[in-house]
Amino acid sequence: AQTAVTIYGIADMSFDRFSGSNGGLQSNATVTRLDSNAGNNLAGSRLGFKGKEDLGGGLSADFKLEMGIQMDTGASEQGSNELFGRAANVGLNGGFGSVHLGRQDTPAFELLNNIDPMGVGLAGSSGNIQIGNKALFPVGGLKGVPEQGWIGLGAIRANNSVRYDTPNLGRFSGSVLYSLGEVAGSSQGSVGVIGLNYKQGPLYVGYVHIDDHGAGVVSPATVDFNQKSDAIGATYDFGPAKLHALVATKTAHSAGVTDKANYYLLGVSAPIGSSTQALASWNRSSGRNSNANSADQYGLGLLYSLSKRTTLYTSVAKIINKGNAAFGIDGYANHDGAAFDYSTLFNMGITHSF
Amino acid sequence: AQTAVTIYGIADMSFDRFSGSNGGLQSNATVTRLDSNAGNNLAGSRLGFKGKEDLGGGLSADFKLEMGIQMDTGASEQGSNELFGRAANVGLNGGFGSVHLGRQDTPAFELLNNIDPMGVGLAGSSGNIQIGNKALFPVGGLKGVPEQGWIGLGAIRANNSVRYDTPNLGRFSGSVLYSLGEVAGSSQGSVGVIGLNYKQGPLYVGYVHIDDHGAGVVSPATVDFNQKSDAIGATYDFGPAKLHALVATKTAHSAGVTDKANYYLLGVSAPIGSSTQALASWNRSSGRNSNANSADQYGLGLLYSLSKRTTLYTSVAKIINKGNAAFGIDGYANHDGAAFDYSTLFNMGITHSF
Amino acid sequence: AQTAVTIYGIADMSFDRFSGSNGGLQSNATVTRLDSNAGNNLAGSRLGFKGKEDLGGGLSADFKLEMGIQMDTGASEQGSNELFGRAANVGLNGGFGSVHLGRQDTPAFELLNNIDPMGVGLAGSSGNIQIGNKALFPVGGLKGVPEQGWIGLGAIRANNSVRYDTPNLGRFSGSVLYSLGEVAGSSQGSVGVIGLNYKQGPLYVGYVHIDDHGAGVVSPATVDFNQKSDAIGATYDFGPAKLHALVATKTAHSAGVTDKANYYLLGVSAPIGSSTQALASWNRSSGRNSNANSADQYGLGLLYSLSKRTTLYTSVAKIINKGNAAFGIDGYANHDGAAFDYSTLFNMGITHSF
């Protein structure tokens, strides 16, 4: 049976140094670590098992089981009891496209991954700004709570989900994912994502729509939560450099309160010789509420390939929160209950694929 | 070393729809899910590692490490901290038979698996009726508590266990398993299982005896619990159809109270052409206490093989509880503290072996 | 990608019988178990994935992911949420030596493993005496708290660590490991280990120094803890028998209190024919505080190899605590709050490598 299974993975570790400041409250704001996380290393460490069976007539079945690993401790990246926190799904593929059932990436995360020159990694990961719901919803006076990403935590990877991918339709392809909330008599906890892709030579354009009823976050029995997001992104490879851009908007409703924000990403990636690559990006969250808050993140990265499978990297990023915005790098959004006005992360590491 | 290890597994996902009703209390009783569980999918999803070493002279050593996986979330099927919740054992094999130490299936679960046309899976899994101890013991007035299966939760797979299997002795073979309670000065928490098998052409007959001192369930220090079960089952393959039958009885004692029940299973499985199989079964629990309760489960299943390794399936089952019986399908036994009089599960799914 | 990954492991299970006595308090002091633990079986059960990539120019990259397994239950040996509790690291190797980042063995554990004839396993594992911090620090009157090992729990395997190993420098080699505490503005939680090795024919000599700021144990925010240990050990293979010896000392400070102790190990291992090996060892902890306590452990072991990969074993050990010492075998140090004066463990088991 062994021939049916391919084992693969990534081991990624970095040194990093985080510092945050918020006016007079600076104690404990600087920390140096040996770190492994899917958020700000070049890649999330993982061990995967996958296989594909030819069923004849153009049909095939496949499966994927992928562990997320914190290499610095050996623990599961996705938390308690998660064996295969990155992926666990089975599917059928054919001329009709493919259908997969289980836990899997959403088209929303894939769009962000396609557009972000950092690959939703490194110090300046777009995930710091574009992903996440730190709290349920705006609470007046709490610094930073309103500003959350347009991709909710349950819309990165989706549990209990069915996903359909079209075959390549000329230059177009599309995907639909629906994650069941599994709550009797309610759509609470569910999330639906639609994605469209267009590729022509050096141009890639992608679009996604998310309809999130609190997947992975909101207690379905007590809160009626709904967040709708739209995003469009594009990359164009000029040869000496590739340009990256994305704009997104979200509108969230809960308990009679509405939260609106826009999001932006601009980036550039450029090869320097055959084994080095330079990356730069700007990410912005711009609240559209009465107490409009915003945040900007500026990131730089440099990759040096020792081989196709092994790469050294270094990166640096800074987040500037304005108003009550409370975005943070690498999970460090605040200290002693007060958000950092400025957060900076520098890291250098190694990523090894197998 | 890799040649010594075989990697294998099953990925199984289904859509299912459960509904339960109990008189006037029907709210929240219907739910639709994308599901992966060892109970009511065709097979429990798993990833395993095993190997065998020839030691010469007819002797060999082997090991087995098998993860149980909830494919819908990537979590461990067997719960927190369980890496290899389905099996973790090492053993020696020879002319004398085999001895294995660790966590492993009991002969009781294997008998049920051999007899049940559903393979202790699908909506109408025999496990819904024949397996389980939902609560410690009968408590007067609590609906359904007395009726539990004849295979306790610690007698499905046994921790801390040594198992001996005879070689084939003509048409007979036998197994003995003992799981240590590991409590000083007491047998509490232990379970012993004896199994006998007879095979002759189209006929299979199996018998098991269980002596369960609360393995996996009862707090050993405070409660003196003992449950004894006997079961005999048989299958006969007529060619166009195979008949399946089992009868079991249990007597449990705890704190001066006695709980008795009988259990029945009748089933039929029939191939339809080369790649389709139809399954039907009836499972019954019949209490023999003064407040005698009972439950009946009717199940149907249909399997369609895309290949030897990949099968599509659909199944449906209904449980009818009488008196205070509280059996349920797929873990849904009650709602808001009241047991369902009627429980129905319909599912359709895919199982892929590798 | 599969060719890049080697799968390996050990499956080890034993029967064991523990008994402890402490004057009049002997109830519940004897227990028989089927056991799998890295402490007192011959080897810790594990499943590992590793690989190495040749980068050219004498440089290579490698990774290691190693699960620790309790074979008796299938659970993680290293506890909740630990997928790869034994090792999770990535590194570069070259003429300069090697650098690895992640979770990995320290040179301190390796020295003990090199010196102990039991290999830090079996009933008489040196780990019972030489490893561990049962409590934060001496508390007057609590039996046994002062006497802890010279290798703290965070100095066996180190999280968040960088390790450098020299290449072989003639007969010498050396290692430095530093585990970051990752506490802002403090060294709390960190541990540093230096190791030196010397090999010449039948002689091996090793030395380690540990500077432990409470790695894995002390709450960094509230306690200023520091423990320094030095150990030197040697083995000499006379042919018919190999001699093993180690002496270590530690000094720990916390909250104005100082705790000092010396540690000793003497052992012998001898082949008997081609497939049998006999082992014996004495381990001693000798407190140097005013209320000086001490403990002696005497251990015997016998290994019988069925093949290079499969070995049967039996072992027995006894710990004698004097004064308030509270060392225990296999995690059994006390009963109902009172330490055992005498602890005895007997076991017999099988270990199978793959």
Side-chain angles (χ1 to χ4, degrees):
Chain A
Q2 181 142 2
T3 53
V5 182
T6 298
I7 305 175
Y8 65 96
I10 296 177
D12 184 313
M13 282 293 303
S14 71
F15 284 95
D16 69 31
R17 184 168 180 82
F18 170 85
S19 68
S21 69
N22 51 348
L25 216 159
Q26 302 221 20
S27 66
N28 281 357
T30 299
V31 62
T32 304
R33 300 174 307 180
L34 249 177
D35 209 3
S36 160
N37 74 64
N40 294 101
N41 282 41
L42 176 55
S45 295
R46 69 199 71 172
L47 176 66
F49 304 84
K50 64 182 177 183
K52 196 167 195 168
E53 181 197 13
D54 187 349
L55 296 171
L59 203 65
S60 65
D62 63 10
F63 78 96
K64 189 177 190 181
L65 293 166
E66 194 173 297
M67 295 177 157
I69 306 166
Q70 293 178 1
M71 293 286 291
D72 48 355
T73 62
S76 165
E77 173 87 28
Q78 281 76 26
S80 182
N81 200 27
E82 274 292 348
L83 292 177
F84 299 98
R86 294 183 60 92
N89 57 69
V90 57
L92 288 174
N93 314 280
F96 64 90
S98 65
V99 175
H100 287 83
L101 308 175
R103 178 169 169 85
Q104 53 198 322
D105 288 349
T106 71
F109 179 76
E110 288 174 351
L111 172 64
L112 193 60
N113 196 36
N114 286 339
I115 301 298
D116 185 357
M118 311 289 187
V120 200
L122 296 177
S125 168
S126 59
N128 296 334
I129 301 290
Q130 317 276 351
I131 290 178
N133 23 7
K134 294 187 196 71
L136 178 59
F137 216 69
V139 179
L142 269 190
K143 184 170 168 63
V145 174
E147 274 61 45
Q148 305 162 6
W150 58 276
I151 303 180
L153 294 183
I156 309 168
R157 294 183 191 95
N159 284 340
N160 311 308
S161 66
V162 52
R163 176 177 168 148
Y164 167 70
D165 291 276
T166 69
N168 283 335
L169 305 168
R171 291 161 179 166
F172 289 91
S173 64
S175 307
V176 182
L177 177 142
Y178 184 70
S179 168
L180 282 72
E182 305 194 343
V183 178
S186 166
S187 62
Q188 285 298 353
S190 68
V191 62
V193 185
I194 295 175
L196 292 171
N197 296 296
Y198 176 85
K199 287 183 187 175
Q200 184 186 13
L203 174 68
Y204 163 75
V205 182
Y207 162 80
V208 294
H209 173 74
I210 306 174
D211 185 2
D212 187 339
H213 290 264
V217 177
V218 179
S219 173
T222 57
V223 181
D224 180 29
F225 175 92
N226 182 226
Q227 175 174 303
K228 288 189 171 65
S229 301
D230 290 275
I232 188 164
T235 60
Y236 195 95
D237 193 343
F238 290 95
K242 188 175 176 181
L243 293 189
H244 309 244
L246 177 139
V247 57
T249 182
K250 78 155 183 197
T251 303
H253 302 279
S254 179
V257 183
T258 298
D259 177 33
K260 295 183 179 188
N262 293 337
Y263 301 86
Y264 308 95
L265 182 161
L266 280 178
V268 59
S269 54
I272 304 173
S274 61
S275 57
T276 305
Q277 192 175 19
L279 313 169
S281 69
W282 162 70
N283 283 267
R284 175 176 176 81
S285 164
S286 181
R288 293 187 292 137
N289 307 310
S290 60
N291 59 337
N293 304 314
S294 66
D296 292 280
Q297 174 182 274
Y298 303 93
L300 294 172
L302 199 63
L303 314 183
Y304 177 75
S305 298
L306 296 174
S307 73
K308 284 193 179 179
R309 288 172 45 201
T310 304
T311 296
L312 303 178
Y313 63 88
T314 185
S315 67
V316 62
K318 180 166 197 166
I319 289 181
I320 302 167
N321 284 314
K322 289 168 189 163
N324 282 332
F327 291 89
I329 298 180
D330 204 11
Y332 285 85
N334 52 55
H335 173 64
D336 290 348
F340 291 122
D341 296 330
Y342 303 92
S343 301
T344 307
L345 185 74
F346 167 78
N347 64 17
M348 45 189 295
I350 180 172
T351 191
H352 173 63
S353 299
F354 54 89
Chain B
Q2 181 142 0
T3 53
V5 181
T6 298
I7 305 175
Y8 65 95
I10 296 177
D12 185 313
M13 282 293 303
S14 72
F15 285 95
D16 69 31
R17 184 167 179 83
F18 170 85
S19 68
S21 70
N22 50 348
L25 218 159
Q26 301 220 23
S27 65
N28 281 357
T30 299
V31 62
T32 303
R33 302 174 305 180
L34 250 176
D35 209 4
S36 160
N37 73 64
N40 293 101
N41 282 40
L42 177 54
S45 294
R46 68 199 71 174
L47 176 66
F49 304 85
K50 63 183 179 182
K52 195 165 194 169
E53 180 196 14
D54 187 349
L55 297 170
L59 203 65
S60 65
D62 63 11
F63 78 96
K64 189 178 191 180
L65 293 166
E66 194 173 297
M67 295 177 158
I69 307 166
Q70 293 177 359
M71 292 287 291
D72 49 354
T73 61
S76 166
E77 172 87 30
Q78 281 76 26
S80 182
N81 201 27
E82 274 292 348
L83 292 177
F84 300 98
R86 294 183 59 91
N89 57 69
V90 58
L92 288 174
N93 313 281
F96 64 90
S98 65
V99 175
H100 286 84
L101 307 175
R103 177 169 170 85
Q104 54 198 319
D105 289 348
T106 70
F109 179 76
E110 288 175 351
L111 173 63
L112 194 60
N113 196 36
N114 287 338
I115 301 297
D116 185 357
M118 312 289 186
V120 201
L122 297 177
S125 168
S126 60
N128 296 336
I129 301 289
Q130 316 278 349
I131 291 178
N133 24 7
K134 294 187 195 71
L136 178 59
F137 216 69
V139 179
L142 269 188
K143 187 170 166 61
V145 174
E147 274 62 44
Q148 304 163 5
W150 60 273
I151 304 180
L153 294 182
I156 309 168
R157 295 183 191 94
N159 285 341
N160 310 309
S161 66
V162 53
R163 175 176 168 150
Y164 167 69
D165 291 277
T166 68
N168 284 335
L169 306 167
R171 291 161 178 167
F172 289 91
S173 64
S175 306
V176 182
L177 176 142
Y178 185 70
S179 167
L180 282 73
E182 304 194 344
V183 178
S186 166
S187 62
Q188 285 298 353
S190 70
V191 61
V193 185
I194 295 176
L196 291 173
N197 296 296
Y198 176 84
K199 287 183 187 175
Q200 184 188 12
L203 175 67
Y204 163 75
V205 182
Y207 162 80
V208 295
H209 173 74
I210 307 174
D211 186 2
D212 187 338
H213 290 263
V217 177
V218 180
S219 173
T222 57
V223 180
D224 180 27
F225 176 91
N226 182 227
Q227 175 175 304
K228 288 189 170 65
S229 301
D230 290 276
I232 187 164
T235 60
Y236 195 94
D237 194 344
F238 289 96
K242 188 175 177 182
L243 294 189
H244 308 244
L246 177 139
V247 56
T249 183
K250 78 156 182 196
T251 303
H253 301 278
S254 179
V257 183
T258 298
D259 177 32
K260 295 184 179 186
N262 292 339
Y263 302 86
Y264 308 95
L265 183 160
L266 280 179
V268 59
S269 54
I272 303 174
S274 61
S275 58
T276 306
Q277 194 175 18
L279 313 170
S281 69
W282 163 69
N283 283 267
R284 177 177 175 83
S285 165
S286 180
R288 293 187 291 137
N289 307 310
S290 59
N291 60 337
N293 304 313
S294 66
D296 292 281
Q297 175 182 272
Y298 303 93
L300 293 172
L302 199 63
L303 314 182
Y304 178 74
S305 297
L306 296 174
S307 74
K308 285 192 179 179
R309 288 171 45 201
T310 304
T311 296
L312 304 178
Y313 63 89
T314 184
S315 68
V316 62
K318 180 166 196 165
I319 289 181
I320 302 167
N321 285 313
K322 290 167 188 163
N324 283 332
F327 291 90
I329 298 181
D330 204 10
Y332 284 85
N334 52 57
H335 173 64
D336 289 348
F340 291 123
D341 296 329
Y342 302 92
S343 301
T344 307
L345 186 73
F346 167 77
N347 65 16
M348 45 189 296
I350 180 172
T351 191
H352 173 64
S353 299
F354 53 89
Chain C
Q2 182 143 0
T3 53
V5 181
T6 298
I7 304 176
Y8 65 96
I10 296 177
D12 186 313
M13 282 293 304
S14 71
F15 285 94
D16 69 31
R17 183 167 180 83
F18 170 85
S19 68
S21 70
N22 50 350
L25 216 160
Q26 302 221 21
S27 64
N28 282 357
T30 299
V31 63
T32 303
R33 301 175 306 180
L34 251 177
D35 209 4
S36 161
N37 74 63
N40 293 102
N41 281 40
L42 177 54
S45 294
R46 69 200 71 174
L47 176 67
F49 304 84
K50 63 183 178 182
K52 195 166 194 170
E53 181 197 15
D54 186 350
L55 297 169
L59 203 65
S60 64
D62 63 10
F63 78 96
K64 189 178 191 179
L65 293 165
E66 194 173 297
M67 295 178 156
I69 307 167
Q70 294 178 0
M71 292 286 291
D72 49 354
T73 62
S76 165
E77 172 88 29
Q78 281 76 27
S80 182
N81 201 25
E82 273 292 349
L83 292 177
F84 299 98
R86 294 184 58 93
N89 56 70
V90 57
L92 288 174
N93 314 281
F96 65 90
S98 65
V99 175
H100 287 84
L101 307 175
R103 177 168 170 85
Q104 54 197 320
D105 288 348
T106 70
F109 178 76
E110 289 175 349
L111 172 64
L112 193 59
N113 196 36
N114 287 339
I115 300 298
D116 185 356
M118 312 289 186
V120 200
L122 296 177
S125 168
S126 61
N128 296 335
I129 300 290
Q130 316 278 348
I131 291 178
N133 23 8
K134 294 186 196 72
L136 177 60
F137 216 67
V139 179
L142 269 190
K143 184 170 169 62
V145 174
E147 275 62 45
Q148 304 163 5
W150 58 275
I151 304 180
L153 294 183
I156 309 168
R157 295 184 191 93
N159 284 341
N160 309 308
S161 66
V162 52
R163 175 175 169 151
Y164 167 69
D165 291 276
T166 69
N168 284 334
L169 306 167
R171 293 161 177 165
F172 289 91
S173 65
S175 306
V176 182
L177 176 142
Y178 185 70
S179 166
L180 282 72
E182 305 194 343
V183 178
S186 166
S187 62
Q188 284 299 350
S190 69
V191 61
V193 185
I194 295 175
L196 292 172
N197 296 296
Y198 176 85
K199 288 183 187 176
Q200 183 187 13
L203 175 67
Y204 163 75
V205 181
Y207 162 80
V208 295
H209 173 75
I210 307 173
D211 186 2
D212 186 340
H213 290 264
V217 178
V218 179
S219 172
T222 56
V223 180
D224 181 27
F225 176 92
N226 182 227
Q227 174 176 304
K228 288 187 171 67
S229 301
D230 290 275
I232 187 163
T235 60
Y236 194 94
D237 193 344
F238 289 97
K242 188 174 175 181
L243 295 188
H244 308 245
L246 177 139
V247 56
T249 183
K250 77 155 184 196
T251 302
H253 302 277
S254 179
V257 182
T258 299
D259 176 34
K260 296 182 178 185
N262 293 338
Y263 302 86
Y264 308 94
L265 182 161
L266 280 179
V268 60
S269 54
I272 304 175
S274 61
S275 57
T276 306
Q277 193 173 19
L279 313 169
S281 69
W282 162 71
N283 282 268
R284 177 178 176 81
S285 165
S286 181
R288 293 187 291 138
N289 307 310
S290 60
N291 59 338
N293 305 313
S294 67
D296 292 280
Q297 174 182 275
Y298 303 93
L300 294 172
L302 199 62
L303 315 183
Y304 177 74
S305 298
L306 296 174
S307 73
K308 283 192 179 179
R309 288 170 47 200
T310 305
T311 296
L312 303 178
Y313 63 89
T314 184
S315 67
V316 61
K318 180 166 197 167
I319 289 181
I320 302 166
N321 284 314
K322 290 167 188 163
N324 283 332
F327 291 91
I329 298 181
D330 203 11
Y332 284 85
N334 53 56
H335 173 65
D336 289 348
F340 291 122
D341 295 329
Y342 303 92
S343 301
T344 307
L345 185 73
F346 167 77
N347 65 15
M348 46 189 295
I350 181 171
T351 191
H352 173 64
S353 299
F354 52 89

